[in-house]
Amino acid sequence: MFGKKTNMNNGLVDRFGRVHDYLRLSITNHCNFACTYCKPDDKNCEKSGSLLLAEELIELSKAFVQAGIKKIRLTGGEPLLHKDFERIIEEISRLPVELAVTTNGYFLDKYFNTLKRNGVQKLNISLDSLKRERFKTITQRNAFDRVLANLILAIKLGFEVKLNAVIMKGVNEDEIIDFARITNNYNLTVRFIEFMPFKTNNWNLGKTFSRSNILETLQKTFHLISMDPVAGQTAEYYKIPDAKGKIGLISTLSHPFCDECNRIRVMADGKMKNCLFGNKEYDLITPYRQGKNLFDVIHESLASKNAMHGGNHPMHKNSNAPNQNRDMFSIGG
Ligand code: SAM
Ligand code: SF4
């Protein structure tokens, strides 16, 4: 799988000494939603012919685990939309790796048993509004009731749920307090995510609602207790006193966690990204199909990893310049 020459025991370390043990594997770029901040053009999707087969997703996962990956998150597009999702989960869960899923929640009720049976505990579920009509405007789908019901069921079934809400100025920043209040009664983590720029998502600085804005909004209403950071953690966590759940802030733009980055991304077309914001991609599937040494490509990609934001930091932080990085539904988050 890796060819004859392997350095597997050295792990996946970049030139800054960061150990990469977390793979985010996008198993499809298809999605049943079209969230305006992620996939504003409903039809903007690559043809399925260029996507990896289930077998290839499984074999690539095995290869990465051999190379040092300890956690795999399946994402997309919408991963539960993959026709072979059950098989993929079953095969990857046999590997010595922690398995997690990021989903829009729509199909969860179909897969709760599969997820439980295969030891998947961690579910990140996206929900950007608690208002039915606004949810419809953001996702371009009339699916609020089903997603909310599945999210509540996931908590009741004992999954470790993180609710991900992308906060955008003028869109949903007025719901921050309502989102935070959910943690009073439910054992989940509500995470507020800064709106990030990608190729076609019409991002500009004026639409962002930064970490400091979010924190200030929360602190006007709650006495937040700050929680101790855990190594490799990308969010900062808080708690409302006596609340059952937690609050997290993911501030990739204003408070980057690049120093701690342990992530590799592989997308549904077999390309690897060493950074969410890096434009450069490394083709894994062509050498894999040719029986070539995949490990060399992975190392070449890691060797070129920049210290921060894929080397694009100023553009992301300060300007409204167009972004050439592919869209989030295609990267997987
Ligand atoms: N379809 C699944 C979902 O929505 O959870 C998985 C894929 S989605 C691309 C993964 C995560 O990326 C979601 O939590 C979504 O909110 C987040 N996301 C997408 N576009 C984003 C953007 N422009 N800025 C910040 N987060 C974004
Ligand atoms: Fe689909 Fe998830 Fe992107 Fe929404 S955020 S369009 S659900 S991939």
Side-chain angles (χ1 to χ4, degrees):
M1 153 193 333
F2 275 98
K4 288 203 177 77
K5 193 178 124 226
T6 63
N7 299 316
M8 287 183 285
N9 293 333
N10 295 344
L12 296 166
V13 185
D14 72 2
R15 63 201 158 110
F16 304 101
R18 294 175 293 197
V19 177
H20 293 71
D21 57 7
Y22 179 12
L23 173 67
R24 297 172 74 98
L25 179 61
S26 171
I27 64 173
T28 178
N29 56 21
H30 292 249
C31 189
N32 54 321
F33 288 7
C35 304
T36 49
Y37 58 81
C38 176
K39 197 179 77 155
D41 179 355
D42 216 343
K43 296 193 187 70
N44 189 359
C45 206
E46 286 154 39
K47 291 204 178 70
S48 51
S50 63
L51 302 185
L52 300 181
L53 304 171
E55 202 55 49
E56 293 170 331
L57 289 163
I58 294 161
E59 288 304 315
L60 282 184
S61 300
K62 287 182 189 167
F64 272 99
V65 171
Q66 267 186 276
I69 288 296
K70 296 195 168 58
K71 174 175 177 181
I72 298 180
R73 174 174 297 284
L74 300 186
T75 178
E78 176 46 41
L80 303 192
L81 204 55
H82 197 295
K83 66 177 177 42
D84 296 318
F85 180 74
E86 196 157 340
R87 190 171 136 232
I88 293 167
I89 279 276
E90 266 166 18
E91 292 293 332
I92 297 181
S93 71
R94 293 205 177 106
L95 304 174
V97 74
E98 182 190 356
L99 192 50
V101 175
T102 299
T103 171
N104 63 30
Y106 188 82
F107 297 111
L108 263 179
D109 47 325
K110 243 173 92 180
Y111 287 111
F112 280 132
N113 287 341
T114 304
L115 293 164
K116 278 270 169 190
R117 199 173 56 243
N118 292 290
V120 179
Q121 261 305 311
K122 295 187 173 176
L123 294 180
N124 288 4
I125 304 174
S126 299
L127 182 69
D128 306 300
S129 178
L130 299 169
K131 300 179 179 189
R132 191 175 290 105
E133 276 313 300
R134 187 179 281 177
F135 177 95
K136 189 173 167 188
T137 306
I138 295 173
T139 60
Q140 306 191 64
R141 296 295 183 272
N142 191 5
F144 175 76
D145 293 330
R146 182 162 168 172
V147 170
L148 187 64
N150 278 344
L151 185 137
I152 292 170
L153 191 52
I155 299 168
K156 289 192 173 149
L157 289 171
F159 287 96
E160 215 176 291
V161 173
K162 292 196 175 107
L163 182 166
N164 283 344
V166 177
I167 302 300
M168 293 158 286
K169 197 185 277 177
V171 176
N172 59 354
E173 87 274 25
D174 58 341
E175 294 192 62
I176 288 172
I177 299 302
D178 289 341
F179 270 118
R181 283 207 171 103
I182 303 175
T183 66
N184 282 328
N185 301 318
Y186 288 94
N187 181 15
L188 87 169
T189 303
V190 169
R191 300 197 305 179
F192 299 112
I193 305 178
E194 281 181 349
F195 178 35
M196 297 183 276
F198 297 92
K199 197 167 183 176
T200 70
N201 76 347
N202 304 313
W203 178 92
N204 69 54
L205 210 50
K207 293 180 186 170
T208 62
F209 198 73
S210 72
R211 168 196 175 271
S212 53
N213 297 143
I214 296 170
L215 207 49
E216 197 184 323
T217 306
L218 288 167
Q219 282 167 335
K220 275 185 192 155
T221 303
F222 307 110
H223 170 70
L224 291 184
I225 302 166
S226 172
M227 301 181 71
D228 287 340
V230 174
Q233 175 177 291
T234 55
E236 50 183 311
Y237 288 102
Y238 297 89
K239 217 174 152 54
I240 300 172
D242 299 326
K244 288 190 176 158
K246 287 187 289 185
I247 295 167
L249 302 184
I250 304 185
S251 30
T252 317
L253 295 182
S254 70
H255 267 65
F257 44 84
C258 303
D259 285 352
E260 299 271 321
C261 185
N262 63 348
R263 292 149 180 235
I264 288 175
R265 292 174 167 83
V266 172
M267 293 155 294
D269 59 3
K271 305 264 176 25
M272 168 176 163
K273 259 186 190 300
N274 61 29
C275 174
L276 176 60
F277 292 117
N279 295 342
K280 187 139 174 58
E281 299 179 353
Y282 290 77
D283 181 18
L284 294 177
I285 200 58
T286 308
Y288 172 79
R289 285 172 183 161
Q290 292 168 345
K292 289 190 182 156
N293 192 329
L294 202 53
F295 198 71
D296 286 345
V297 186
I298 296 172
H299 265 271
E300 191 189 333
S301 170
L302 271 190
S304 70
K305 179 160 176 160
N306 284 285
M308 213 172 168
H309 281 174
N312 292 324
H313 184 73
M315 181 187 86
H316 290 297
K317 217 179 165 192
N318 300 322
S319 91
N320 292 339
N323 186 329
Q324 285 318 302
N325 195 7
R326 68 162 94 184
D327 287 299
M328 191 65 135
F329 69 85
S330 176
I331 301 174

